[in-house]
Amino acid sequence: MKKYILITLAASVLGYAAIAQAEDAAAIMEKAHLANYYAADDGSAKVRMEIINPDGAKRVREFTILRKDVEDGGDQWFFVHFKKPNDVRDMTFLVNKHPSAPDDRWLFIPAIKMVKRIAASDARAAFVGSDYTYEDISGRHPSEDAQEMLGEEELNGRKAWMIKNTPKDEVRDYAWRKTWVDQATHLVMKESYFDEDGAEVRRFTTDEIKQVDDFWVGIAGTMENLELEHKTTVRFSDVKLNVGIPDKVFTERSLKSAPKKWIR
Amino acid sequence: MDSLGIMRNLASRMVARATLPSLLIALAAAFTFAPSTQAAEVDIHGFVLGTGSLRLSDTPLVTGEKYNWLLGEARLRGDVDINSDSGITAAVAKIEFINDSIERAADIEVRELYGEYLGDMIEIRAGRQMMTWGVADRLFINDVFPKDWTAFFAGQPLEYLKIGSDAVKLSVFGNRWDLELVGIPVTQTDVTPTSSRFVVFDPGFAVREPANRLSNGEAAARLHTSFGSLDVAIYAFRGHWHQPDKGFDPASSQVIFPRLENYGLTLQDAILGGVFSVEGGYYRSVDDSAGIDPFIANSQFRYLVSYEREIVTDVTVAVQAYGEIMDNHAAYLAAAQPAFAAGGGPQPLPEHRKIGTVNVRALWLNQTLTTSLFAMAVASGGRMLIPDVHYAVTDEFSVNLGAHAFWGGPDSWMLGTMKHDDNVYANIKWSF
């Protein structure tokens, strides 16, 4: 036992310098995860998504999103109520996000007033046909990636850390990503996705950030699929934080009878 | 016909369809709950839907027609949503103006028309409203609300399989549970394919709907709760069978709808990255609970086990195993023996009728193109295949093409009798 402790101690002292840097990168990604996905205890926003194909043709999705954290960095509830396009008006998603297990998802189909449980095995599936995945919307937990500090860079006049994130378990659509984290706010300002050959295949940029109460939030962003020249822009409006959304909003009841006070 | 005549015709059709009591409920509800217009938000939307469906068989209808149109119609739909500023009251109208090119007639269909009170602990919704219960796909156990099988088999969009109920619904919400209590004053039975457009077994008996008496009204209840991610609901229903093959009055030679009670349960949870569902219900045939009346369906236990999973990105496979186990099958066989002995008529029903379905659904082109293949098989014969393609050309405009293919069998629910009703259908929809 004593011997074991000694070996462990020696190993950790020797490895300290290398590990310290990795820990920094990991700690930054952890903070970025909280800043990007867990600001305040709850929040609401109106979202306009434009899905733009290479010819410039647009499809528009408009929805209200409500979020409530069960615990910072842990489980979260999302309620997504669609206004556009017209043929999915009043369609609603209820999502209970679990960082270390598949999400629980429910869908309300307004035409027949049916609540349907939906399978959620693939976090990399596209969210409502956009270039964003479900994971992009609700956040990928930093523990699923190995981090490496690549350095610092100025991006639009703001200092950012550059961090390499490599998924520990293979991901279908990219090999690793390079993430620019804003040093002042910990918001992700840019993220480039690379394939195994080192070619950039996908790119996220934060186009505008805004202070809401004590928090900085990204209110405009673009996700581009560089291979297909296909992109999706997102703009948030009416962003509110710490508004006290009651738990009962995140239930089957709200799916069947949308809480008008919160989705207006 | 002059325009006044058309209006009169429409008005009389609308009343006949809606039945007077239900219209009164809807109107009363609208007046009671509709918010005053000064402090209300009004939302108007709708769509234009064109549907064409062609039967692909040279087996003639009773009229002698072959390869006939099952459906050729255009619908203009108006949805009006009125919400009071307080959010406590609302009124909804979803009304369709139909131009039927086959009958060369116009019609109005009230899909939904209700008023509602949205309280903190309770909600009341009164008028014509859509309700969908249970966890099954195109099979029904605890969803006791009326269906339109003609719309389904003729290829209208799937939502038209459901018909609104003229009902009052009270919802009560607890901390961890919610309860729905539904009262339906006038029994509404299913719409099933008739021999005017389909080749179906139609002996031409008159149909006698349950009389409009309060004691003939229907009541349904659903209590839902969850344990972690497991959804649990229990159901109760008291009303009538809604299918025309469940009762017959030999004295008057009329199809009747005997009384029915149902007690059921659903369980649903996410397991192994998919959704696992179980549904069960005991259908107690109140007018023949001993199973000795050959003209009234026996009681039965219905069950369903299903699993749905996305096998690769944007491709989902759903499998259902469903069954009906008849109570008192020996009594049924003994009682019904003379009828079967006569020959030429229907075959006796098995004690355990099993149905399996598989649905493979895939999304393509940034989820704007959906292809699906739904297959249903009845153990003792009877198969149905529905290939379907839906493409959202733009956000407003979509096109849907599909087909129904049937293979017969002696006992096969509706499928066996529909082997000459293979069809192709198209829906074109513009939403606004």
Side-chain angles (χ1 to χ4, degrees):
Chain A
M1 189 67 192
K2 208 173 190 174
K3 194 171 162 192
Y4 175 72
I5 290 169
L6 277 175
I7 291 170
T8 313
L9 200 65
S12 49
V13 169
L14 286 174
Y16 183 75
I19 291 167
Q21 211 186 26
E23 268 180 6
D24 278 354
I28 290 166
M29 284 313 297
E30 189 73 46
K31 277 191 183 165
H33 184 60
L34 294 179
N36 283 278
Y37 294 103
Y38 291 87
D41 295 330
D42 64 11
S44 69
K46 289 191 164 46
V47 183
R48 182 182 167 88
M49 214 174 224
E50 293 188 354
I51 304 165
I52 305 161
N53 78 9
D55 306 328
K58 264 183 211 171
R59 290 175 195 257
V60 176
R61 310 275 173 268
E62 277 180 21
F63 52 90
T64 302
I65 187 162
L66 307 175
R67 164 181 62 89
K68 184 166 186 163
D69 303 345
V70 177
E71 132 187 55
D72 262 1
D75 280 15
Q76 281 179 314
W77 285 96
F78 292 91
F79 183 86
V80 182
H81 180 263
F82 281 82
K83 289 203 167 51
K84 276 185 182 172
N86 285 320
D87 72 329
V88 299
R89 190 170 46 90
D90 289 335
M91 186 181 86
T92 312
F93 280 115
L94 176 66
V95 179
N96 187 8
K97 183 187 114 181
H98 309 296
S100 51
D103 300 343
D104 288 308
R105 288 186 207 155
W106 293 262
L107 172 69
F108 175 68
I109 305 165
I112 54 168
K113 304 266 195 305
M114 184 190 193
V115 173
K116 187 178 176 356
R117 192 86 180 239
I118 48 178
S121 56
D122 185 5
R124 303 292 311 158
F127 177 74
V128 295
S130 73
D131 294 285
Y132 286 86
T133 64
Y134 275 89
E135 196 172 73
D136 296 325
I137 302 289
S138 67
R140 175 177 173 86
H141 200 271
S143 64
E144 293 180 73
D145 302 316
Q147 284 85 14
E148 185 189 333
M149 178 62 79
L150 297 176
E152 293 182 15
E153 198 173 82
E154 217 162 80
L155 208 65
N156 302 323
R158 301 175 69 97
K159 279 186 107 177
W161 290 292
M162 281 187 299
I163 293 166
K164 181 178 181 179
N165 285 284
T166 309
K168 290 174 182 168
D169 293 324
E170 200 170 305
V171 171
R172 173 168 49 81
D173 54 340
Y174 70 93
W176 57 279
R177 44 186 221 281
K178 185 170 168 182
T179 309
W180 282 259
V181 178
D182 184 50
Q183 296 193 354
T185 62
H186 280 95
L187 294 178
V188 171
M189 302 308 287
K190 184 179 169 186
E191 199 156 39
S192 288
Y193 294 70
F194 296 89
D195 66 12
E196 276 161 12
D197 303 325
E200 190 182 6
V201 290
R202 188 170 187 258
R203 186 190 298 148
F204 168 75
T205 49
T206 294
D207 303 325
E208 191 177 340
I209 63 171
K210 188 185 174 185
Q211 190 167 16
V212 179
D213 303 329
D214 298 334
F215 305 92
W216 281 93
V217 290
I219 58 159
T222 304
M223 184 69 82
E224 283 174 90
N225 184 322
L226 301 172
E227 290 174 305
L228 302 175
E229 294 177 33
H230 200 277
K231 68 177 179 181
T232 301
T233 64
V234 163
R235 178 160 283 278
F236 288 73
S237 59
D238 234 342
V239 180
K240 294 180 192 134
L241 295 172
N242 278 337
V243 277
I245 306 171
D247 285 346
K248 71 174 184 192
V249 165
F250 301 94
T251 59
E252 186 187 291
R253 172 193 187 172
S254 289
L255 283 171
K256 287 186 171 176
S257 172
K260 301 201 166 88
K261 180 184 170 188
W262 297 102
I263 59 158
R264 233 173 225 180
Chain B
M1 205 187 317
D2 62 315
S3 58
L4 200 68
I6 292 172
M7 288 300 288
R8 249 199 310 271
N9 186 21
L10 283 179
S12 67
R13 275 163 177 274
M14 190 172 161
V15 172
R17 245 180 135 94
T19 73
L20 204 54
S22 64
L23 263 189
L24 286 177
I25 291 173
L27 283 176
F31 280 113
T32 312
F33 297 118
S36 69
T37 44
Q38 288 106 348
E41 192 183 284
V42 180
D43 241 351
I44 298 173
H45 290 278
F47 56 76
V48 179
L49 171 69
T51 305
S53 169
L54 184 67
R55 192 170 68 90
L56 298 178
S57 169
D58 58 2
T59 305
L61 294 180
V62 283
T63 59
E65 259 190 290
K66 301 168 178 179
Y67 299 100
N68 59 293
W69 290 100
L70 294 172
L71 214 53
E73 58 168 38
R75 286 171 183 254
L76 168 64
R77 159 80 159 255
D79 291 356
V80 183
D81 240 314
I82 307 172
N83 289 291
S84 69
D85 267 355
S86 62
I88 290 173
T89 54
V92 170
K94 296 183 180 179
I95 295 171
E96 294 184 354
F97 301 86
I98 306 164
N99 181 33
D100 184 332
S101 339
I102 298 172
E103 302 283 339
R104 295 181 186 283
D107 202 351
I108 294 181
E109 188 176 334
V110 179
R111 293 288 294 169
E112 290 192 272
L113 178 64
Y114 58 79
E116 56 186 343
Y117 164 78
L118 305 162
D120 203 36
M121 287 286 292
I122 64 165
E123 290 183 3
I124 300 167
R125 181 175 287 180
R128 180 167 297 179
Q129 53 189 300
M130 208 62 83
M131 287 174 280
T132 301
W133 287 357
V135 295
D137 178 15
R138 286 167 262 207
L139 292 165
F140 300 98
I141 300 177
N142 292 299
D143 187 302
V144 289
F145 307 109
K147 318 288 184 301
D148 182 347
W149 291 103
T150 305
F152 174 72
F153 288 120
Q156 278 184 266
L158 197 53
E159 65 182 84
Y160 287 92
L161 171 55
K162 300 281 300 183
I163 314 174
S165 297
D166 296 321
V168 178
K169 182 173 78 169
L170 167 70
S171 306
V172 186
F173 304 99
N175 259 344
R176 311 265 317 129
W177 51 269
D178 54 89
L179 174 68
E180 289 174 284
L181 299 170
V182 180
I184 303 171
V186 179
T187 297
Q188 196 174 356
T189 56
D190 290 359
V191 177
T192 47
T194 63
S195 56
S196 63
R197 291 189 192 177
F198 290 87
V199 177
V200 286
F201 176 66
D202 184 353
F205 295 124
V207 172
R208 189 165 85 222
E209 302 273 346
N212 287 356
R213 277 200 309 268
L214 200 60
S215 59
N216 265 339
E218 300 191 324
R222 174 182 184 266
L223 177 66
H224 164 262
T225 188
S226 52
F227 301 96
S229 68
L230 173 70
D231 280 310
V232 181
I234 54 172
Y235 305 80
F237 170 72
R238 192 193 165 93
H240 300 85
W241 291 93
H242 291 164
Q243 300 77 37
D245 61 341
K246 302 300 186 221
F248 183 70
D249 174 17
S252 63
S253 284
Q254 285 176 320
V255 168
I256 54 169
F257 300 90
R259 287 182 294 163
L260 174 70
E261 287 174 3
N262 171 47
Y263 304 95
L265 167 83
T266 54
L267 302 170
Q268 199 165 43
D269 205 352
I271 294 176
L272 299 171
V275 175
F276 182 69
S277 312
V278 174
E279 180 162 0
Y282 183 71
Y283 273 44
R284 182 168 171 264
S285 194
V286 180
D287 293 330
D288 183 29
S289 53
I292 50 174
D293 187 335
F295 297 106
I296 294 177
N298 280 18
S299 301
Q300 56 180 227
F301 172 69
R302 292 186 177 190
Y303 66 87
L304 172 114
V305 180
S306 76
Y307 189 66
E308 177 173 332
R309 193 177 199 282
E310 190 175 22
I311 47 163
V312 294
T313 299
D314 288 340
V315 179
T316 303
V317 175
V319 181
Q320 302 186 109
Y322 166 92
E324 296 172 358
I325 301 170
M326 189 191 289
D327 249 9
N328 303 307
H329 191 252
Y332 156 80
L333 281 183
Q337 203 56 50
F340 298 132
Q347 296 296 304
L349 295 167
E351 184 173 13
H352 188 175
R353 174 190 270 187
K354 292 171 240 175
I355 294 175
T357 77
V358 178
N359 191 22
V360 182
R361 190 170 154 270
L363 306 174
W364 316 87
L365 304 176
N366 288 85
Q367 303 181 353
T368 56
L369 176 69
T370 307
T371 57
S372 68
L373 184 64
F374 181 85
M376 177 180 272
V378 184
S380 48
R383 307 277 185 266
M384 173 173 67
L385 205 58
I386 311 176
D388 185 279
V389 179
H390 181 277
Y391 179 53
V393 183
T394 67
D395 279 341
E396 291 78 29
F397 182 62
S398 67
V399 179
N400 164 233
L401 297 171
H404 290 89
F406 303 97
W407 293 270
D411 152 47
S412 38
W413 183 54
M414 277 191 241
L415 306 184
T417 64
M418 298 193 69
K419 56 192 157 200
H420 305 297
D421 293 312
D422 291 353
N423 63 71
V424 287
Y425 60 83
N427 288 288
I428 296 174
K429 188 177 175 183
W430 181 71
S431 307
F432 58 88

